[in-house]
Amino acid sequence: DRVLYARQQRTSKAAVIGGTPVSEKQALLLRTVVFGTAVAPPRGEWLRTGIIMHEEEKEVPYLLKGPKNTTRGLLTVLQAEILKYLLFEVSINLFIIVQNLLIFCCLFELKSNVMVTANAKIMFCLFSSRALSKTTNTQLKKVILCLPQENVYLHQSLDYFQDGITERIHMFDVESYDDLEIMIKRYSYLFLDDPGPGAMLLLYSCVASRGPDQVVKDMDGVKAQLIGPEEEGSICLVTLLITGRATPYLHNGVVYVGDEDHYATAQFGILARSEIGLLVQMDTIDADNECNIPGSRLKTPSLPVWVVSTCGHYGVMYNTNRELLHNYHAERRFDLTYLTCGGNQCQLTVDTRQSSGTYMIHSEETTVTPIANIEKLIQTKWPDAQISWHGSSGN
């Protein structure tokens, strides 16, 4: 009988070939729109944060590693895409297998495929939003994938500070989802290297696909930038990745704001329902502004997966029942899982059958603790719900 021996897998890194070299104008625009300026170096975490999962022996093997810095907002949206893919696009048996640590070592290829798919889904969201826009220019209906080569196309000057990535980018026009997955899989090492610029390349690709000028217009401010003073990333970055538009306004549709001394101006909020939702819990000062409060299109997505923000800290919340938000009876009592890219995971049960009498989102007397903030966050979607905790894990 023949004996088959397992071969040691060798990961080859394909050289980036093709595409269009980044021009000086494009490089300056990318750096300015994302980081606010091109004359100073970008935030260092974006140059060394790859898109990687926790090791197999960790309790939550499908959880992304997300340092507590400005990359966490992007990684949290990507985490939500991964969970959506595992829960609702792969068979449920496969999701159970992923959680089984004893055989997870056999699923190394799955981890790579999951991240490739999640990256492609986010970028294709930009394609969809542009394809649905009122334009007849077919050149806009594409995803622009930004990948670095070895050649340097923009040298350091008074107008530009080199970062080692932006000046080496080649831009690839991709016009179908299948081609996008193939491209990301071929050059997956650029996204998965640790340390590496994976998070930065994903964000650059999304901004280039939407169009830097359009991103600035979405943010409704000439001096707006995606990476600002926020500890874990701006809300505009999150809405760009979830909806395809970098809007700071979370209400439904278009709201006209003005007074008797000024003409009314349009604030473009969330124009359509997405598969992934967004829940936000903030302090009293910010909550007084209605444009900061998510509307029903964000609170009630197509699937029960939410990116959540409690006082600027991002996480993911989900339920495994696809029909949860389509069945009133299912929302009477159900389970939720809350997790963060820092490794925290909590299990809880939400009961909306009777009032808890503790719905005080705007009360300054409410105790400020992480658990209290999560409860208030949940009550922005299900007011007066009773919440029971079943333990937590992680740091």
Side-chain angles (χ1 to χ4, degrees):
D1 294 337
R2 296 177 60 188
V3 179
L4 299 179
Y5 295 94
R7 290 184 178 180
Q8 183 179 3
Q9 292 187 352
R10 298 179 180 177
T11 57
S12 59
K13 295 185 177 181
V16 178
I17 300 174
T20 304
V22 66
S23 66
E24 179 179 359
K25 179 181 178 181
Q26 290 170 328
L28 294 176
L29 266 176
L30 281 175
R31 277 278 294 276
T32 303
V33 172
V34 174
F35 298 105
T37 180
V39 299
R43 298 183 68 116
E45 61 261 28
W46 287 90
L47 300 173
R48 58 177 182 268
T49 301
I51 301 172
I52 55 175
M53 287 186 177
H54 284 278
E55 300 298 331
E56 286 80 357
E57 64 269 15
K58 297 294 183 181
E59 186 173 353
V60 190
Y62 51 84
L63 188 62
L64 288 177
K65 283 185 178 180
K68 195 171 184 179
N69 55 39
T70 55
T71 65
R72 183 169 284 194
L74 178 143
L75 293 175
T76 300
V77 179
L78 187 58
Q79 179 71 74
E81 281 286 350
I82 289 173
L83 287 167
K84 177 174 72 75
Y85 173 74
L86 290 173
L87 282 168
F88 305 115
E89 298 183 31
V90 184
S91 67
I92 188 63
N93 292 331
L94 186 56
F95 184 71
I96 295 173
I97 289 174
V98 170
Q99 297 183 85
N100 189 336
L101 303 184
L102 296 177
I103 60 176
F104 188 79
C105 57
C106 300
L107 299 175
F108 177 80
E109 189 66 24
L110 170 66
K111 294 176 70 176
S112 177
N113 290 339
V114 164
M115 283 186 281
V116 167
T117 301
N119 275 282
K121 290 281 187 182
I122 287 178
M123 293 185 202
F124 206 72
C125 175
L126 276 296
F127 171 89
S128 300
S129 67
R130 302 183 79 170
L132 294 173
S133 62
K134 296 180 180 179
T135 176
T136 57
N137 188 350
T138 57
Q139 292 182 351
L140 293 179
K141 300 179 182 180
K142 61 189 176 184
V143 170
I144 299 177
L145 188 60
C146 296
L147 301 174
Q149 279 192 347
E150 294 183 357
N151 298 327
V152 176
Y153 301 105
L154 185 59
H155 297 282
Q156 191 147 311
S157 65
L158 294 176
D159 297 323
Y160 181 78
F161 192 101
Q162 286 184 322
D163 57 40
I165 298 296
T166 309
E167 61 272 8
R168 298 192 292 116
I169 279 179
H170 273 222
M171 295 184 171
F172 296 81
D173 295 345
V174 187
E175 298 185 355
S176 75
Y177 179 80
D178 291 338
D179 290 342
L180 181 60
E181 270 201 347
I182 292 171
M183 285 286 294
I184 296 176
K185 192 167 186 177
R186 180 183 303 163
Y187 302 115
S188 60
Y189 69 91
L190 293 172
F191 296 93
L192 306 181
D193 279 352
D194 180 36
M200 185 176 182
L201 295 177
L202 174 58
L203 182 54
Y204 270 2
S205 298
C206 290
V207 172
S209 298
R210 177 63 176 163
D213 292 331
Q214 186 61 50
V215 171
V216 172
K217 185 177 179 181
D218 290 342
M219 291 188 286
D220 198 17
V222 177
K223 297 182 179 180
Q225 62 192 73
L226 284 176
I227 309 301
E230 296 85 0
E231 183 179 3
E232 297 186 6
S234 68
I235 200 69
C236 292
L237 184 150
V238 173
T239 55
L240 172 66
L241 300 176
I242 291 178
T243 70
R245 297 175 57 255
T247 177
Y249 308 120
L250 307 182
H251 53 69
N252 290 352
V254 183
V255 173
Y256 290 89
V257 179
D259 53 38
E260 58 185 14
D261 297 324
H262 302 86
Y263 289 108
T265 58
Q267 292 182 348
F268 290 87
I270 307 303
L271 304 182
R273 198 179 307 276
S274 301
E275 289 185 330
I276 293 176
L278 175 65
L279 298 178
V280 177
Q281 186 274 324
M282 59 190 68
D283 57 37
T284 306
I285 297 176
D286 291 336
D288 289 338
N289 190 346
E290 291 186 2
C291 70
N292 293 326
I293 302 175
S296 60
R297 289 172 181 167
L298 286 176
K299 289 182 179 180
T300 310
S302 302
L303 297 171
V305 180
W306 295 266
V307 174
V308 298
S309 173
T310 56
C311 299
H313 300 290
Y314 291 106
V316 179
M317 193 171 289
Y318 67 91
N319 177 274
T320 57
N321 179 10
R322 175 189 288 269
E323 301 301 321
L324 174 68
L325 301 176
H326 304 284
N327 186 337
Y328 173 78
H329 296 288
E331 288 190 78
R332 298 183 67 184
R333 190 176 188 276
F334 56 94
D335 295 329
L336 287 175
T337 300
Y338 170 82
L339 55 84
T340 71
C341 292
N344 297 311
Q345 185 181 34
C346 305
Q347 307 289 337
L348 48 96
T349 299
V350 178
D351 191 337
T352 63
R353 292 174 295 183
Q354 54 184 338
S355 172
S356 65
T358 59
Y359 184 53
M360 297 183 295
I361 292 179
H362 301 287
S363 175
E364 296 180 358
E365 299 178 359
T366 305
T367 304
V368 180
T369 64
I371 290 179
N373 285 335
I374 294 173
E375 290 183 351
K376 288 188 287 184
L377 172 82
I378 294 171
Q379 289 171 340
T380 63
K381 165 64 178 169
W382 295 280
D384 295 333
Q386 288 186 331
I387 301 168
S388 304
W389 294 82
H390 308 300
S392 62
S393 63
N395 298 322

